[in-house]
Amino acid sequence: MARISQIEGNFQFRERSQWWSVTMLSVCVHFPGLTESVIAAACSRVGQSVLHLDRRNYYAGNWASFTFNGLLSWIEQYKQEVPITELEQVWRSLIDEGEDAVPLSALDSSISNLEVFCYARLHEVSEPKEDQHTSDISEPSQSQEEKESQLSSSPADPTVEVQKKITYQKLVKEGRRFNIDLVSKLMYSRGALVDLLIKSNVSRYAEFKNIGRILTYRNGKVEQVPCSRADVFASKQLTVVEKRMLMKFLTFCLDFEQHPEEYQDYTEKPFREFLKNKKLTENLQHFILHSIAMVTQHTLTEEGLKATQHFLRCLGRYGNTPFLFPLYGLGEIPQCFCRMCAVFGGIYCLRHSVECLVVDKVSNKVKAVIDTRGQRISCSHFVVEDSYIRDEQRQSTAYRQISRAVLITDRSVLPSESDQQISMVTIPPLESSAPAVRMVELCSSSMTCMPGTYLVHLTCSSSGKAQEDLAPVISQLFHVSTIPGEEPSEVLWVMYFNMRDTSALDSSSYSLPSNVHVCTGPDDSLCSDYSIKLAESVFHHILPDEEFCPPAPNPEDIIYDGDGPQAKGPGFDESTNTECLESSQE
Amino acid sequence: MHGRVKVKSTAQQEEEKRKEREKKLKAFVSARDAVLRKRSAGEHDEEALQLTQQLLSSNPDFATLWNYRREVLLQLETSREKDEVQKLYESELHFIEACLKVNPKSYGCWHHRSWVNTRLPQPDWTRELGLCDRCLSLDERNFHCWDYRRVVVKESGVSVEQELQFTDRLIGSNFSNYSSWHYRSTLLPQLHPQPAPDSIHSHRVCEEQLLKEYELAHNAFFTDPNDQSAWFYYRWLLGREEMISCVYVSRERERVSVAFSKPVHSEGLMLVLDGQPQQVEWRSTHPRLRHSPVWLCDLPPGSVSDISNEHNLTVHWTEKYTHRDCALYTGCAESWCRDSATDQELFRSELSVEKSSVLQAELQSCNQLLELEPQNKWCLLTIILLMRALDPLGHEKETLAHFQTLKVRKYYHYLNERYSGSRK
């Protein structure tokens, strides 16, 4: 967790007692998920004073990424989650006449059905002696001819490597090399998140890697999806006629609004039917529906066309696919925004949360919050994540769930010449009632797993428990084995869990004061557009006249107060001193 | 409060930038004047290198400075040991690379680099090839780099297979690169030449490889029929070898004329008269024309003037290991030797069953594409040419129809005229 200390070092550290009484905070933000962090950064950027808290001891909340050991602790914590005894009496005394208290929830029930399976051997078995080893290999499958050829040819090939299987012990030992995200998403190169990162200059706090290839699961095997011109050209799976048809269709999609006559008959019909009507082959229909547009069987034509268009427009901006992924995992992104917030004066506190809100009876607005230490902090706005809201404040509890699986494997789902690429795999529903599954396979150069392994994330909207939803898919794609003596399992370790998807809720779902802004999400879509758009909307509620995340100025263009005329920049030498003084006298 | 952010105004920024520029300009001008003074004074020393380095780093196109630098380096060479010279030129290569980053298309830089490699006691061609790879990955069409690559490949003896694989990679990642296709066309005949190289109707590439290349071209123009590179490559594949199409001898004029299927250089042209190689000067139809479809030479005076003598002439073209014989018979004032089938058509292959079936298959592929892209001019044009090559009269109606579709531009108009002439 090196990042935390970096952020903490950035802001002015003052005595706790000092700032409690000093400022009336503009915005108090609770829970540093992506949406909340963006809001905090945006508010701080335009000069608002921001306090950003969370009761956890790590950043990013449900958007966090963990080392392997960190994840194991997180799993333990989840299993032992016990509600903290309420210290009602403490904050009761801080509520005045004319004020109401709105307590927050101390329990986080956004994660459920957490299950872990380990297929790796616990420890390394000591290697048998040399000659024993070779005879083990040769014995089982040796036919007469093989024996003969072995005798005549040189002794057992010394270059054949027996890849040592990674043990659980090794995973724990190398645990710091892992950065395991709870949320699995990718970034469209022209999506809301990338645009925001560029606009605000927050992009300079992180590094990114291209997704190398897009794959799909079809007819029992994993295939590459040709999406760029170069892919289509090189594809051995498409006939030349199919190549033309695909390129023609994709070119049409790029500007489909200019040709309404082509699709207006299908606006009320599913996209799937439109593709059939265009005489695209089964092959192509699959690729477009599941891997390019990534829509369902029921999605209507225009939405399908828009999705295809978005995909195509994102191609080629940074690489051959439309997607980027941040090095060190998605959990870096909320931290980047937190950093920007801190640079502009925002204050961060972990292991510190808000117990209840203080609402003014007359205006029905929040005027202060009370934290777990019994301190009262005034603020004009309160931004909070859904999981902290108690049931009493909810109008509706219609949640969806997202099923998640995190795997550590030692073999790519589709091995190729390059073992260092990030792949995205779309798996259409295995049965008609099941949801489509999305998989992201991360290589070790994405700094999310140790060399020799892949970190694989699966996501789908839940029908049931995560294990029920995703285990069938995993067994189709990987060799999973618990039986010793059988071919060793490609999956070393897997964790299943369900995460609540609150994205369908909006402000009408809660009965809270108007200056309490509840952030919902993450949603189950591939990108983070929902969270960014929500952040922008909340920001405009709080500060309707301010610009949302304007670009941060370049360091050279910042003038610091209290510095003499000499210190305009580094390395300022004697000879130009006079020049500077002259200009400051102008 | 410390760290309050106050940003400089645009006016302030502009002013600062202007001052920067002025400062830079002053420095540049004074350095340049110093250098030129030194050069006229004939000084060839370390200082000269330093000053020119300063200037060339920001302006690598200043040719005079490269010239001066070469003078200095040559001078320094004389006073250094071999391994010092090696080091000297190696650091020169580093410097050139830095300049190339400023302008990857600087004539001066590339030329200087070639020159340095001629002076290096031990040139490192692997590194040079690597540099080409990098430059081409940044700009696939940098012709400077392509030329340099050809030099490197020649000097270092990199295998044709390796280079062919290189074009595989380039074309695989972006098939809209004319330069890669072109380079491929120069490599293929070396790697997979047509056997029996001295036959008259030779092709450049053996059939097996040719079919693979056709497939590659198909993939390209089916994926993007509007991309010219693939079509041009395809036409090159379909086309025939440059060859001698006709030889003419005149007793009266004591002259030999040789006509080729395409403009060629006269290098490698040899005349043999009655078994004796002749010392002749070849000229084209215009003194300035170095590439010409027609070449003429004068025979030694009196060599063929006696009409009662029979003579045998052979024109050899060593470039393509091909030749043409021409017999001048007794009583004949002149003689023609030509292949009657070749002079009208743009191109054709041998009319053996094998070959025409290949062309037929290609015609089918193109027609398939035409169904999907009825307006594509490249497709139409290629179909016309294929039909002409296979069966000009049989396809006449279709040919005319396609011409109509092409909406007759000047070039196609000419082609139409040409073909309608041959129909009569």
Side-chain angles (χ1 to χ4, degrees):
Chain A
M1 287 297 214
R3 305 286 294 172
I4 303 176
S5 51
Q6 231 179 331
I7 294 173
E8 281 177 346
N10 265 339
F11 66 87
Q12 314 291 326
F13 193 76
R14 291 182 246 188
E15 280 299 320
R16 279 252 162 85
S17 52
Q18 246 189 305
W19 51 256
W20 287 131
S21 47
V22 165
T23 8
M24 171 157 163
L25 289 163
S26 310
V27 188
C28 182
V29 186
H30 210 237
F31 188 92
L34 181 62
T35 309
E36 302 81 6
S37 305
V38 172
I39 296 168
C43 292
S44 176
R45 174 76 185 83
V46 295
Q48 300 294 315
S49 44
V50 176
L51 172 65
H52 202 163
L53 311 162
D54 193 47
R55 73 179 154 89
R56 280 166 261 247
N57 61 352
Y58 52 84
Y59 281 91
N62 274 350
W63 290 78
S65 43
F66 296 96
T67 60
F68 190 62
N69 318 73
L71 188 66
L72 296 176
S73 316
W74 178 81
I75 295 169
E76 281 308 307
Q77 264 182 17
Y78 160 82
K79 289 190 174 147
Q80 293 168 16
E81 188 92 86
V82 156
I84 305 162
T85 37
E86 319 235 337
L87 308 157
E88 251 197 67
Q89 307 87 320
V90 180
W91 49 256
R92 271 284 160 216
S93 57
L94 297 162
I95 308 291
D96 296 333
E97 273 295 317
E99 290 175 350
D100 262 334
V102 176
L104 294 184
S105 167
L107 235 181
D108 178 12
S109 46
S110 49
I111 306 284
S112 56
N113 299 324
L114 192 134
E115 297 176 74
V116 176
F117 300 88
C118 180
Y119 299 101
R121 270 209 297 256
L122 206 59
H123 301 285
E124 261 172 38
V125 174
S126 55
E127 290 296 309
K129 290 206 208 82
E130 265 286 315
D131 34 335
Q132 256 187 312
H133 203 220
T134 50
S135 65
D136 276 344
I137 295 172
S138 59
E139 221 128 83
S141 54
Q142 197 153 52
S143 65
Q144 194 57 27
E145 334 164 352
E146 275 182 79
K147 273 212 177 89
E148 283 172 351
S149 64
Q150 252 205 353
L151 289 169
S152 55
S153 63
S154 47
D157 197 339
T159 60
V160 170
E161 277 173 40
V162 180
Q163 192 84 8
K164 269 210 224 152
K165 288 297 278 185
I166 296 169
T167 61
Y168 184 74
Q169 195 184 44
K170 179 96 172 154
L171 289 179
V172 171
K173 183 165 167 237
E174 299 288 327
R176 286 178 61 96
R177 309 266 211 140
F178 288 90
N179 280 296
I180 302 168
D181 293 317
L182 294 179
V183 170
S184 170
K185 286 181 186 288
L186 294 176
M187 299 162 61
Y188 274 97
S189 65
R190 288 192 207 274
L193 179 55
V194 168
D195 284 347
L196 180 61
L197 285 168
I198 295 172
K199 178 187 179 196
S200 60
N201 267 350
V202 172
S203 53
R204 62 177 127 107
Y205 296 141
E207 288 174 88
F208 304 89
K209 193 172 154 81
N210 268 321
I211 303 312
R213 57 186 183 173
I214 299 184
L215 309 172
T216 189
Y217 183 70
R218 217 166 73 86
N219 299 332
K221 47 188 180 74
V222 178
E223 295 177 347
Q224 183 142 1
V225 175
C227 44
S228 67
R229 245 167 122 244
D231 286 342
V232 174
F233 169 66
S235 167
K236 303 263 183 278
Q237 296 151 291
L238 300 174
T239 65
V240 283
V241 173
E242 277 181 317
K243 291 187 188 197
R244 184 82 289 270
M245 286 166 77
L246 181 61
M247 290 303 296
K248 204 168 175 187
F249 182 76
L250 294 179
T251 315
F252 154 70
C253 285
L254 214 49
D255 278 307
F256 73 92
E257 298 100 336
Q258 310 289 336
H259 307 279
E261 68 285 357
E262 297 281 336
Y263 63 93
Q264 61 195 21
D265 294 334
Y266 278 82
T267 42
E268 300 305 309
K269 300 203 186 129
F271 189 48
R272 180 175 49 89
E273 275 182 41
F274 176 67
L275 294 177
K276 257 202 199 110
N277 166 262
K278 282 283 167 186
K279 304 217 176 48
L280 296 168
T281 61
E282 287 282 326
N283 242 0
L284 298 179
Q285 286 179 45
H286 176 109
F287 287 143
I288 296 170
L289 196 67
H290 293 116
S291 305
I292 296 179
M294 288 180 277
V295 294
T296 70
Q297 301 279 347
H298 309 290
T299 312
L300 296 182
T301 301
E302 239 183 290
E303 200 188 318
L305 286 170
K306 273 215 182 75
T308 311
Q309 185 188 59
H310 187 54
F311 185 100
L312 296 170
R313 287 203 174 146
C314 292
L315 282 177
R317 187 176 196 191
Y318 299 110
N320 239 10
T321 67
F323 305 111
L324 290 177
F325 187 79
L327 289 188
Y328 301 96
L330 206 61
E332 287 297 297
I333 305 296
Q335 289 189 64
C336 293
F337 284 100
C338 290
R339 185 169 173 176
M340 173 158 112
C341 180
V343 164
F344 285 94
I347 297 166
Y348 278 82
C349 278
L350 295 176
R351 290 189 219 87
H352 203 126
S353 64
V354 169
E355 278 288 315
C356 77
L357 311 174
V358 180
V359 181
D360 182 82
K361 280 192 182 156
V362 174
S363 65
N364 194 33
K365 282 198 167 172
V366 166
K367 45 196 282 215
V369 298
I370 299 176
D371 71 358
T372 39
R373 285 168 218 205
Q375 301 267 18
R376 182 178 156 129
I377 309 159
S378 317
C379 66
S380 344
H381 291 273
F382 186 64
V383 176
V384 66
E385 197 259 343
D386 171 275
S387 62
Y388 285 88
I389 308 296
R390 287 194 179 185
D391 287 341
E392 299 95 79
Q393 278 95 43
R394 293 180 190 277
Q395 302 271 41
S396 82
T397 48
Y399 302 130
R400 295 192 290 237
Q401 296 275 354
I402 301 170
S403 289
R404 287 274 290 120
V406 177
L407 286 70
I408 301 175
T409 65
D410 63 1
R411 182 183 172 275
S412 169
V413 69
L414 185 68
S416 72
E417 283 173 10
S418 159
D419 65 346
Q420 285 303 320
Q421 49 181 339
I422 302 177
S423 316
M424 191 199 51
V425 190
T426 52
I427 302 124
L430 292 180
E431 294 151 37
S432 56
S433 52
V437 174
R438 183 177 79 230
M439 189 172 112
V440 176
E441 181 183 82
L442 300 166
C443 56
S444 54
S445 62
S446 66
M447 312 309 277
T448 55
C449 56
M450 65 177 264
T453 64
Y454 291 90
L455 185 64
V456 181
H457 290 275
L458 284 99
T459 314
C460 74
S461 61
S462 305
S463 314
K465 296 201 304 181
Q467 200 269 344
E468 290 161 4
D469 285 341
L470 296 171
V473 173
I474 293 170
S475 56
Q476 293 282 334
L477 298 170
F478 295 99
H479 180 71
V480 185
S481 157
T482 41
I483 306 161
E486 226 188 57
E487 210 181 294
S489 179
E490 290 165 350
V491 177
L492 302 170
W493 184 90
V494 62
M495 172 178 79
Y496 297 99
F497 63 94
N498 288 80
M499 186 186 274
R500 198 184 282 170
D501 176 2
T502 51
S503 58
L505 303 173
D506 60 20
S507 49
S508 64
S509 320
Y510 311 96
S511 43
L512 288 166
S514 59
N515 63 345
V516 174
H517 310 275
V518 181
C519 295
T520 51
D523 64 344
D524 66 353
S525 70
L526 179 62
C527 64
S528 317
D529 278 13
Y530 172 83
S531 306
I532 302 298
K533 294 209 165 92
L534 179 61
E536 191 168 357
S537 141
V538 170
F539 174 79
H540 284 304
H541 265 111
I542 298 175
L543 300 160
D545 300 320
E546 295 279 1
E547 195 188 339
F548 181 61
C549 298
N554 276 323
E556 309 94 69
D557 291 336
I558 300 176
I559 304 170
Y560 289 91
D561 276 356
D563 295 325
Q566 283 96 324
K568 254 198 184 167
F572 207 85
D573 61 42
E574 282 303 310
S575 54
T576 41
N577 225 345
T578 46
E579 244 179 22
C580 157
L581 284 173
E582 277 166 27
S583 64
S584 67
Q585 279 159 16
E586 276 159 29
Chain B
M1 188 178 135
H2 282 277
R4 182 162 63 85
V5 173
K6 185 176 168 194
V7 185
K8 290 180 189 159
S9 69
T10 330
Q12 254 177 315
Q13 281 174 323
E14 283 297 308
E15 184 56 27
E16 279 185 15
K17 281 188 190 153
R18 194 187 66 80
K19 288 217 173 104
E20 270 284 326
R21 280 199 297 268
E22 249 183 59
K23 218 169 90 176
K24 264 189 179 167
L25 184 62
K26 242 190 188 167
F28 186 89
V29 168
S30 64
R32 182 203 63 196
D33 291 341
V35 167
L36 295 177
R37 251 182 281 124
K38 276 181 83 69
R39 196 184 188 201
S40 9
E43 291 166 21
H44 294 115
D45 53 18
E46 289 283 352
E47 198 197 351
L49 283 183
Q50 269 172 12
L51 286 171
T52 50
Q53 180 165 331
Q54 225 183 311
L55 293 167
L56 288 168
S57 304
S58 51
N59 184 5
D61 292 307
F62 201 150
T64 316
L65 298 181
W66 288 116
N67 289 337
Y68 183 32
R69 221 175 151 78
R70 280 189 278 277
E71 289 165 15
V72 174
L73 288 166
L74 283 172
Q75 179 73 23
L76 290 176
E77 251 190 71
T78 58
S79 59
R80 302 270 166 103
E81 290 293 323
K82 201 168 184 203
D83 49 340
E84 280 181 335
V85 172
Q86 176 79 10
K87 281 209 188 77
L88 178 70
Y89 282 118
E90 276 180 357
S91 64
E92 191 70 5
L93 287 177
H94 274 296
F95 171 55
I96 300 172
E97 216 176 305
C99 292
L100 281 175
K101 287 204 179 101
V102 173
N103 180 7
K105 294 191 179 177
S106 162
Y107 283 94
C109 289
W110 289 105
H111 173 256
H112 192 68
R113 201 174 182 92
S114 296
W115 180 86
V116 168
N117 277 314
T118 62
R119 304 306 308 172
L120 258 178
Q122 280 162 306
D124 183 353
W125 296 115
T126 319
R127 177 189 52 207
E128 296 308 304
L129 203 65
L131 176 71
C132 288
D133 284 343
R134 265 180 291 138
C135 282
L136 287 175
S137 70
L138 291 169
D139 181 355
E140 289 168 343
R141 292 190 145 186
N142 187 342
F143 67 86
H144 301 268
C145 191
W146 279 109
D147 283 343
Y148 187 68
R149 193 189 181 90
R150 280 183 266 268
V151 167
V152 170
V153 166
K154 185 160 162 226
E155 292 295 329
S156 65
V158 169
S159 72
V160 182
E161 280 102 353
Q162 207 179 317
E163 285 300 279
L164 201 64
Q165 273 172 11
F166 175 66
T167 62
D168 280 336
R169 277 203 309 274
L170 279 187
I171 291 170
S173 69
N174 178 14
F175 63 84
S176 291
N177 186 0
Y178 194 88
S179 311
S180 325
W181 288 108
H182 171 76
Y183 193 51
R184 198 178 174 81
S185 71
T186 62
L187 296 169
L188 274 180
Q190 293 177 51
L191 197 57
H192 299 281
Q194 175 83 339
D198 57 355
S199 73
I200 293 170
H201 292 288
S202 67
H203 205 289
R204 303 173 182 101
V205 181
C206 73
E207 182 130 358
E208 190 194 327
Q209 188 62 28
L210 204 58
L211 292 173
K212 285 193 197 143
E213 296 300 310
Y214 282 138
E215 210 187 306
L216 199 65
H218 289 170
N219 273 301
F221 58 68
F222 270 85
T223 305
D224 187 356
N226 290 319
D227 188 77
Q228 302 177 29
S229 333
W231 288 109
F232 277 108
Y233 186 69
Y234 188 55
R235 279 171 62 176
W236 175 81
L237 290 172
L238 290 167
R240 54 174 188 188
E241 186 71 281
E242 293 105 338
M243 56 174 113
I244 302 171
S245 55
C246 148
V247 175
Y248 167 75
V249 188
S250 162
R251 281 197 210 260
E252 195 184 344
R253 301 231 181 106
E254 291 185 304
R255 185 194 296 171
V256 176
S257 307
V258 185
F260 290 86
S261 57
K262 287 196 183 138
V264 297
H265 201 272
S266 66
E267 231 171 87
L269 266 180
M270 230 175 55
L271 184 66
V272 174
L273 177 62
D274 299 327
Q276 298 293 324
Q278 303 294 314
Q279 188 86 319
V280 291
E281 292 257 338
W282 291 99
R283 62 182 188 281
S284 66
T285 51
H286 187 283
R288 285 264 187 87
L289 214 55
R290 305 233 322 265
H291 270 83
S292 170
V294 177
W295 288 93
L296 308 143
C297 72
D298 292 319
L299 290 165
S303 51
V304 294
S305 39
D306 191 345
I307 202 163
S308 59
N309 287 340
E310 183 180 296
H311 297 282
N312 275 311
L313 265 126
T314 309
V315 177
H316 287 269
W317 192 29
T318 54
E319 280 287 301
K320 304 286 174 179
Y321 305 103
T322 183
H323 66 274
R324 257 324 157 85
D325 295 319
C326 190
L328 187 56
Y329 298 111
T330 319
C332 290
E334 60 185 17
S335 177
W336 291 88
C337 169
R338 70 177 182 205
D339 181 352
S340 58
T342 61
D343 62 348
Q344 291 282 13
E345 278 109 309
L346 191 62
F347 63 74
R348 60 178 274 271
S349 322
E350 294 170 294
L351 284 179
S352 71
V353 173
E354 213 181 275
K355 270 296 186 170
S356 67
S357 71
V358 168
L359 286 187
Q360 196 63 49
E362 292 310 309
L363 183 59
Q364 244 177 338
S365 295
C366 289
N367 273 322
Q368 207 178 24
L369 181 60
L370 195 66
E371 273 173 58
L372 298 164
E373 299 290 336
Q375 296 291 319
N376 186 275
K377 73 174 188 202
W378 299 107
C379 194
L380 284 163
L381 188 60
T382 310
I383 287 173
I384 290 169
L385 298 172
L386 279 165
M387 289 198 291
R388 296 292 305 170
L390 278 166
D391 180 4
L393 294 175
H395 288 290
E396 186 173 332
K397 249 201 193 141
E398 280 173 85
T399 321
L400 280 173
H402 288 325
F403 267 122
Q404 282 301 105
T405 321
L406 279 174
K407 292 189 179 100
V408 189
R409 298 180 193 203
K410 273 246 159 86
Y411 170 66
Y412 308 129
H413 193 73
Y414 154 75
L415 209 60
N416 194 9
E417 298 270 290
R418 203 169 158 200
Y419 286 168
S420 50
S422 72
R423 280 181 224 123
K424 288 164 196 159

